[in-house]
Amino acid sequence: MYCRYCGKKLPANAAYCVDCGVQVPNGNKYCYNCGVQTKPEQDVCLKCGVSLTGKRISTPYAGDKDWLTTLLLAIFVGSLGVHRFYVGKIGTGIAMLFTLGGCGIWTLIDIIMIATGDFKDDMGRPLKKD
Ligand SMILES: [Zn+2]
Ligand SMILES: [Zn+2]
C-alpha cells in the first residue's frame, strides 16, 4: 500500500507513514492501492479501480502462533528448522533441517527477525505477542 498523503510505498500493515508520519490511511492525494496521484474529490482510483472513500484497507489479522514459543524454538533448536515447522513453513523448515540452518547463519537471521517482530507465519501473519 501507499501513503495517501505523500505517495510513499509502505508495508501492507503500516499504521503510520514512515516518510511523513501521517496516520494511514489519512490523506487524499494518492491511491493507497497503486500509488497513482488522485484528486482529493475522487471517489475511485482511475488506474486500479479501488474505492478511495471506503478505506477498505485490509490489515492482516494476527496469527495464532506464539511469538515467544517461536523465538525459543529458534534459539534452542533453530538449526533444525523447528521454529519454521511450528509456524507452518514446512518447505523452508525442511531446507533448514538439511542445511543445519544454513550453517547457523540462516537460523541467526531468523532469530533476529523473530526478535524484531519481522518474522511472519506461513499465511504472512505476524506472530502473536502478548
Ligand atoms: Zn506519507
Ligand atoms: Zn489505484
Side-chain angles (χ1 to χ4, degrees):
M1 63 188 265
Y2 295 81
C3 174
R4 296 215 58 209
Y5 193 74
C6 70
K8 168 103 182 161
K9 194 170 195 321
L10 302 174
N13 58 353
Y16 287 88
C17 173
V18 291
D19 212 28
C20 68
V22 77
Q23 192 175 0
V24 175
N26 286 339
N28 54 15
K29 286 186 245 170
Y30 297 87
C31 170
Y32 67 81
N33 187 50
C34 67
V36 78
Q37 234 176 326
T38 61
K39 294 186 179 69
E41 68 274 14
Q42 226 172 290
D43 288 336
V44 172
C45 174
L46 298 177
K47 191 179 170 205
C48 71
V50 297
S51 165
L52 296 175
T53 54
K55 294 184 177 177
R56 286 177 298 122
I57 296 177
S58 57
T59 45
Y61 52 102
D64 52 2
K65 300 298 189 298
D66 187 60
W67 174 80
L68 188 62
T69 307
T70 312
L71 182 65
L72 292 176
L73 285 173
I75 290 171
F76 291 109
V77 282
S79 57
L80 302 176
V82 177
H83 59 292
R84 284 192 171 256
F85 290 115
Y86 174 70
V87 300
K89 292 177 168 176
I90 308 298
T92 49
I94 291 170
M96 205 170 231
L97 179 64
F98 282 114
T99 60
L100 287 180
C103 297
I105 298 166
W106 193 8
T107 307
L108 188 66
I109 293 169
D110 271 7
I111 291 171
I112 294 167
M113 282 184 70
I114 295 164
T116 55
D118 287 330
F119 198 77
K120 304 279 183 355
D121 69 9
D122 60 323
M123 311 269 284
R125 299 173 303 185
L127 301 171
K128 188 159 56 89
K129 203 174 183 178
D130 44 30

